[in-house]
Amino acid sequence: MKNKIYLLAGLILLGFGIYLSITFLGEEKKAESNQSIVAFGDSLTYGYGDETEEGYIGRLQTKLDRTFPEKNYIITNHGVYGFKSSDVLQQMLKPEVAQDIKNADMFIVYIGTNDLLKSNGGDLYPLHHEKLVEAKDIYEDKLNGILETLETANSDAPVILLGLYNPYPDGDQIEKYIDHWNNSIRKKAAEDKNITYISTNELFKGKNKKQYFADSLHPNGKGYEMIADRIMEGFSF
């Protein structure tokens, strides 16, 4: 009788051991497959204007989940409405943000629109050439700081660096400044093989603005969908 009891107890313990092994090994494999993406930016990264409140980040998350279910991408969105490049640089000093940077497998940086707009007085009409030229120099310095911070804290993580778009595609004068700023962003990306530049400016050219924008600046859901698609096309996840 005792032998049967011991045998039964042994089988129960063995079964419990197998259960724990499967559970913990499964969780360990799942953790190993996690891919952490940390995103920085302004209201465009935040997703302002999207009726579903997803923005391009939420839509990118959905696309990654569908395309790479085995990799388990997790995006942490640090986009803040109204941020300039200098604000992102300050944000990176916060302990919790610094920890996210350290643990990330990849970064998305989409910043510069407010640097351009605010330096010109908050809008793009009329254009103030000297102020925009001065602001571009300051922006380049802050963008350098952002990328150097990511490189120093986590040199293995690739960076997706998004270019700016012209919210008034028919404005030829505005287009010249957007191109000028984008050339600087593209040049910075070309200096580091770990940085991938992805252009967004051509996305809205020839499009009916009412169909793709929530207001004069911010895309709606359809606009953000195009940005998310462009990221999927332009980077090898």
Side-chain angles (χ1 to χ4, degrees):
M1 183 67 177
K2 286 184 178 179
N3 289 337
K4 289 183 178 180
I5 293 174
Y6 290 147
L7 179 60
L8 180 60
L11 290 172
I12 291 172
L13 288 173
L14 178 62
F16 186 62
I18 293 172
Y19 167 76
L20 289 177
S21 297
I22 292 173
T23 301
F24 285 118
L25 282 174
E27 289 299 320
E28 187 177 337
K29 287 182 179 179
K30 184 177 179 181
E32 289 176 357
S33 68
N34 287 349
Q35 296 289 307
S36 172
I37 303 175
V38 179
F40 293 97
D42 49 33
S43 55
L44 299 178
T45 295
Y46 175 82
Y48 186 86
D50 187 348
E51 59 277 9
T52 67
E53 300 184 351
E54 292 180 273
Y56 78 85
I57 290 294
R59 293 166 187 276
L60 179 62
Q61 178 76 71
T62 299
K63 293 176 189 299
L64 290 171
D65 290 344
R66 290 174 180 170
T67 308
F68 308 104
E70 74 286 356
K71 290 189 177 181
N72 194 33
Y73 283 99
I74 300 171
I75 306 179
T76 301
N77 189 352
H78 284 301
V80 178
Y81 186 96
F83 260 23
K84 294 166 50 177
S85 55
S86 56
D87 298 309
V88 172
L89 202 50
Q90 285 294 116
Q91 181 189 40
M92 289 177 165
L93 298 177
K94 295 181 179 179
E96 64 274 17
V97 178
Q99 189 62 43
D100 284 344
I101 293 173
K102 181 180 178 181
N103 296 334
D105 296 295
M106 187 183 308
F107 299 107
I108 298 174
V109 177
Y110 193 9
I111 194 70
T113 299
N114 285 320
D115 294 73
L116 191 149
L117 287 174
K118 291 182 179 181
S119 67
N120 197 61
D123 58 34
L124 293 174
Y125 292 104
L127 292 168
H128 302 287
H129 177 74
E130 291 183 2
K131 291 182 179 179
L132 288 169
V133 170
E134 182 181 355
K136 178 177 170 291
D137 291 339
I138 296 172
Y139 168 70
E140 287 179 355
D141 180 63
K142 300 304 180 184
L143 181 61
N144 269 342
I146 291 169
L147 297 174
E148 286 174 4
T149 298
L150 298 180
E151 171 69 20
T152 301
N154 191 339
S155 60
D156 293 329
V159 179
I160 297 172
L161 183 60
L162 297 175
L164 311 183
Y165 63 81
N166 181 0
Y168 306 99
D170 296 329
D172 291 339
Q173 291 300 316
I174 296 172
E175 188 73 14
K176 293 177 182 177
Y177 288 98
I178 298 294
D179 285 343
H180 197 207
W181 284 55
N182 278 335
N183 285 338
S184 295
I185 301 172
R186 188 184 295 106
K187 182 179 178 181
K188 185 61 188 174
E191 294 173 358
D192 190 333
K193 63 181 181 180
N194 219 26
I195 302 175
T196 299
Y197 173 80
I198 295 180
S199 175
T200 65
N201 194 28
E202 66 278 6
L203 290 178
F204 302 105
K205 293 184 184 300
K207 300 286 195 307
N208 185 325
K209 186 161 183 174
K210 291 182 179 179
Q211 292 182 9
Y212 292 92
F213 282 80
D215 55 30
S216 62
L217 174 63
H218 301 93
N220 58 18
K222 290 177 67 176
Y224 281 119
E225 186 77 13
M226 290 199 300
I227 295 174
D229 283 337
R230 175 53 57 88
I231 295 172
M232 291 292 290
E233 294 166 1
F235 186 83
S236 297
F237 286 92

